[in-house]
Amino acid sequence: MSVLAVFLPLKMNSKTMENTSQAKRKNIPFLYRVLRRYVKFMVETFYYKKTYCIGSENIPADGTPTVIASNHQNALNDALGIMMNIMDRKVRFMVRADIFAVSKGIHDFLIWLGLLPAYRIDFEGEAAVANNGVSFKEAEDAIREGNTVTIYPEAGHQDKHWLGTFTYGYTKMAFEAAEADGFTKDVKILPACNHYSDYFGLGTEMLVRFGTPISLQPYYELYKEKPRTAQRQVNKAVREQIDAMMLNVKDVEHYRQIDYIRTSAFGRRYAQSQGIDPDNLPQRLESDKKLVDTLAQADTQELYDDTQQLLDDMEAAKITEKSFQRSHSLPMIALRCLGLLALLPVAAFCLWPSFFVYWIAEYFSRKKKDDVMLRSSFLIAISVLVTLPLFSLISLIVVWAKCSFLAAIIYVALFPAFYVFEWHYNRWCKDFFEDIRCRKAERKGLFAKMVALREKIFNKAKEICQIEL
C-alpha cells in the first residue's frame, strides 16, 4: 500500500485494489520477481525443513518510509529471511562491502538486487569508511521515496545466539532521511530478529520475527535540538525489542556450556515440562529463553565445570550429543551398515550433480575459513544461483539429445531432491562411523563415564530449574 492510500476512502472496490496491486508489481522488475520466487521456493522447499514468520502484520504498508533494524545471527540467510517474507516490494539491504569487490559482474548484480555496500573499520579499514557517504545517501533517498531499507546495527554477523553492540548508523540514516523532507514524513524503524534451530546444514529451521514499528515523529523536535540524544533513545527502544524477541545469551564466557544444555536432551525435556512443543521452533525459542534466564540467575559454576569436562571428553572421542540417544549395539550397527549398502546405488546415482554442486560451494566457503558463518551463504548463493542452474542446463541438453524432452525435464526437476538425499546419506555415513567410535569408547570404559557425567549434569540442571523430568 502506498502512502497515498492512507488518504483514500476506507472502502475500495475490487477493481481499484487490483489496479493498486498491479501498480506495485510494476514497480518491481520482472526478472527480480522471478529470481526472488525461485530462490524462495528453493530455500523454503529444499534448504530449510520449515520456516516461520511472526509479526508480519507489523510490517508498515508499502510506501511507508521504513528502516528495518535486525539482529545478525547468520550472513546471507538473515537477508533472505526478510526478503522472502516481504514480497510486495523490493527491500534494500546495507551489507558488508567486501562481497562487492569479488568482481565487476558480482558488484553490478548486487546493486541490481538492491544491496548497498557498508564499509567497516574492522574489515575494510578506516580509509574505506569514507565511502559510506555514498551508500548512506542512496539509502536515505530510498527511504524518503517510501522504500524499505534493512540494516544490521551490529555491523557484523554473530556466530552465537547473543546480541552485539549497536552502531548508531541506522538511526542517523533514518533521521536524516526525515530531515531532508523537512520532517513532513513519518519515518518508521521496524525491529526484527532472526533465529535458527541450527546455523549449518540442510533440514534446519528458520524463524523471522517482526516487532512493533517505532515512529520517529515523536522524536523530531528532540532531534532538532539534541540529535544524539534522540538517536540514543530510539536505539534503546529498538534494541530492547530485538533483545526481547531473540535468544540472547549474555553470559558469553560460558556460552558453550549453556548452548549444550539447551540443545541437548535436557533442553527438550525442559520444554516439555513447560507444556511447550520442542519441535515447534517459535515455542522452543521461548523455552530456551526461559531456560537461559533461569541459569543466569543461579549458582551454576559446578554445572558449567562439569559440562565443560563433558564437552572436552566428547570432543576427544569425536562423538556428539545424539550418540547418547541411540543404540550402539553390534546388531544395530550391522543393520545400519546394511541400510547404507542398500542405498549406495541410489547415492551413486545422485552424485551428479550433487557432488559438484556441494564441493564448488565448499571450495569458495573454505577460502573464507576465518568466517564460518559464510558457509551457508556460499552454499545457497553459489548452488541456487550458479551451479545448480548450470548443471541443470547441461543435463537437460544431454538427456534430451539421448532420450526425450519429457525425460530430460523429469530428470532435471529431481536434481534438488537428489541433492537433499545425498546430503542426508552423507550424514548417515557420518553417524555410522560415530557409532563405531562410540563402541570403541565403550570398550575403554570412557562412554560409561560420559553417560554418568551427562546424567549428573542433567540432574543438577533439573534442581536449578526446579522441574520434574
Side-chain angles (χ1 to χ4, degrees), residues 206-238:
M206 166 199 269
L207 166 65
V208 179
R209 185 168 185 171
F210 297 102
T212 303
I214 296 173
S215 169
L216 294 192
Q217 208 164 38
Y219 298 91
Y220 285 167
E221 292 305 316
L222 176 62
Y223 177 79
K224 293 174 186 177
E225 297 180 4
K226 299 179 179 179
R228 196 66 174 173
T229 301
Q231 291 180 47
R232 278 199 299 268
Q233 291 185 11
V234 170
N235 179 70
K236 182 174 182 292
V238 172

Side-chain angles (χ1 to χ4, degrees), residues 180-307:
D181 271 331
F183 299 102
T184 58
K185 294 179 181 177
D186 184 12
V187 177
K188 296 184 183 297
I189 296 183
L190 177 65
C193 89
N194 304 277
H195 182 70
Y196 303 85
S197 61
D198 194 309
Y199 289 132
F200 308 105
L202 271 66
T204 58
E205 296 187 355
M206 166 199 269
L207 166 65
V208 179
R209 185 168 185 171
F210 297 102
T212 303
I214 296 173
S215 169
L216 294 192
Q217 208 164 38
Y219 298 91
Y220 285 167
E221 292 305 316
L222 176 62
Y223 177 79
K224 293 174 186 177
E225 297 180 4
K226 299 179 179 179
R228 196 66 174 173
T229 301
Q231 291 180 47
R232 278 199 299 268
Q233 291 185 11
V234 170
N235 179 70
K236 182 174 182 292
V238 172
R239 186 181 174 87
E240 285 177 350
Q241 278 204 46
I242 295 176
D243 189 357
M245 290 189 290
M246 66 176 287
L247 175 62
N248 184 11
V249 181
K250 297 181 175 68
D251 186 0
V252 180
E253 180 184 356
H254 299 107
Y255 181 89
R256 192 180 176 208
Q257 297 96 314
I258 295 170
D259 199 53
Y260 171 76
I261 292 170
R262 76 168 187 88
T263 57
S264 68
F266 177 83
R268 185 178 184 86
R269 296 172 195 169
Y270 177 83
Q272 292 170 334
S273 74
Q274 305 298 305
I276 288 175
D277 180 3
D279 295 318
N280 181 286
L281 186 59
Q283 292 187 37
R284 181 64 181 267
L285 171 58
E286 296 307 313
S287 171
D288 286 349
K289 287 163 61 176
K290 186 175 180 180
L291 173 57
V292 169
D293 288 343
T294 301
L295 293 175
Q297 298 170 18
D299 180 7
T300 51
Q301 192 57 54
E302 181 184 351
L303 173 67
Y304 291 160
D305 288 344
D306 288 340
T307 304

Side-chain angles (χ1 to χ4, degrees), residues 19 102 158 178 237 251 257 274 305 335 340 384 402 407 430:
N19 290 338
V102 175
Q158 310 295 353
D251 186 0
Q257 297 96 314
Q274 305 298 305
D305 288 344
L335 185 61
L340 289 173
V384 173
K402 295 291 185 180
K430 289 181 179 179

